[in-house]
Amino acid sequence: MKNIVNVKNLNLTYNANSIKPYHALKDINLQVTEGDFVAIMGPSGSGKSSFLNVLASLQAPSSGSVLIDEQNIWQLNANQLAKFRGQKLGFIFQEYNLIESLSVADNIALPLSLAKAKHTTITDAVNQVATLLHLKDQLKKFPNELSGGQKQRVAAARALVHQPKLIFGDEPTGALDSANAREMMNYLNKINIEQHISILMVTHDAFSASFANKIHFLSDGQIVQTLERSNQSRETFYRAILDFLGTFEE
């Protein structure tokens, strides 16, 4: 199976020309295979957000390469990168990032609307993901009429509607209570398995991370440890993560 993400010798330095440059990412190498579900964990300041931003084409690295679906994204110009992002990538953010003036249906449809897809294509795609994520009864509502869990499902539907190769999650359960967090992770697991869409998620939450197949731990801008779920149950993997975090954070 081929790699959907291939990161080589990735570095990110802020204030590189100053007296005290800050090395946020240090010579990171990482591969994510097609259909995989990967979590990135680490303490505050470890480089998690910077790493996600570089992988998601939102922050240019200082050096190194990021290949997504065999395309070196940082060799693309601005227009090519925007097109690539709109076709290949989906995003789920902690704060939902829904447009309050648009209905649920129009929020979900946004990636296809921006790509100027045909109306029938948009309608069919929105109905398909709304059915998958149990949002059919919410399509005519507006974000202020939804619960937090429903808003995050709308965000997930928007990330999925254009059938991307890869979905990035930035603390996707960070604003949810435990019941809604569990529901959200079950939906992401369903998307990963049934739609065979790769997911790369940054999280501080061990429970959310336990749904992943592999967890990379960052510290001071470097991957220092990797845990693989293999044939473990999610519950057993969760306990293994907690055990590791008990030593990792000491």
Side-chain angles (χ1 to χ4, degrees), residues 8-13 24-28 54 60-65:
K8 293 183 179 180
N9 306 121
L10 189 69
N11 291 275
L12 177 63
T13 302
L25 302 174
K26 305 171 186 175
D27 203 34
I28 290 180
V54 172
S62 301
S63 62
S65 63

Side-chain angles (χ1 to χ4, degrees), residues 230-246:
S230 300
N231 295 322
Q232 298 177 81
S233 68
R234 191 202 59 75
E235 292 78 8
T236 300
F237 193 38
Y238 177 45
R239 290 193 293 271
I241 297 165
L242 291 176
D243 288 344
F244 175 76
L245 289 175

Side-chain angles (χ1 to χ4, degrees), residues 30-240:
L30 173 74
Q31 289 79 43
V32 177
T33 57
E34 277 191 328
D36 209 354
F37 191 157
V38 174
I40 306 294
M41 298 190 76
S44 297
S46 63
K48 299 189 304 296
S49 295
S50 294
F51 190 35
L52 183 69
N53 287 339
V54 172
L55 296 185
S57 73
L58 303 175
Q59 165 76 56
S62 301
S63 62
S65 63
V66 177
L67 278 71
I68 298 178
D69 199 26
E70 301 182 341
Q71 174 67 63
N72 191 331
I73 62 172
W74 292 112
Q75 290 182 347
L76 302 175
N77 63 37
N79 289 335
Q80 291 171 329
L81 187 56
K83 183 177 180 180
F84 179 87
R85 192 183 295 127
Q87 292 177 340
K88 302 283 188 176
L89 307 180
F91 301 89
I92 304 174
F93 302 96
Q94 178 177 341
E95 299 299 332
Y96 321 128
N97 285 11
L98 302 180
I99 299 175
E100 296 293 330
S101 60
L102 295 182
S103 69
V104 166
D106 288 339
N107 266 287
I108 294 172
L110 198 57
L112 292 175
S113 299
L114 293 173
K116 299 181 180 178
K118 293 181 179 179
H119 177 72
T120 54
T121 299
I122 293 174
T123 301
D124 289 346
V126 169
N127 284 330
Q128 182 179 354
V129 296
T131 299
L132 177 70
L133 295 171
H134 297 120
L135 289 166
K136 288 282 285 185
D137 293 337
Q138 317 299 330
L139 290 177
K140 294 182 179 179
K141 294 183 179 180
F142 288 82
N144 64 2
E145 301 176 88
L146 305 179
S147 68
Q150 289 170 331
K151 288 179 181 179
Q152 197 60 300
R153 276 190 280 144
V154 173
R158 180 184 57 195
L160 181 62
V161 72
H162 56 301
Q163 297 182 318
K165 289 281 190 176
L166 175 65
I167 290 178
F168 289 106
D170 184 6
E171 300 281 5
T173 62
L176 303 177
D177 61 28
S178 58
N180 280 310
R182 177 183 289 273
E183 181 183 60
M184 186 69 241
M185 293 312 305
N186 281 326
Y187 279 120
L188 287 181
N189 190 55
K190 184 176 183 179
I191 289 169
N192 174 244
I193 293 172
E194 295 185 6
Q195 305 293 318
H196 201 64
I197 293 175
S198 308
I199 298 175
L200 195 152
M201 170 184 71
V202 163
T203 183
H204 70 281
D205 179 45
F207 174 79
S208 297
S210 70
F211 284 80
N213 301 319
K214 186 180 295 183
I215 305 171
H216 299 288
F217 293 88
L218 285 184
S219 180
D220 295 325
Q222 296 177 299
I223 294 176
V224 295
Q225 182 71 34
T226 298
L227 293 184
E228 295 194 40
R229 181 171 169 180
S230 300
N231 295 322
Q232 298 177 81
S233 68
R234 191 202 59 75
E235 292 78 8
T236 300
F237 193 38
Y238 177 45
R239 290 193 293 271

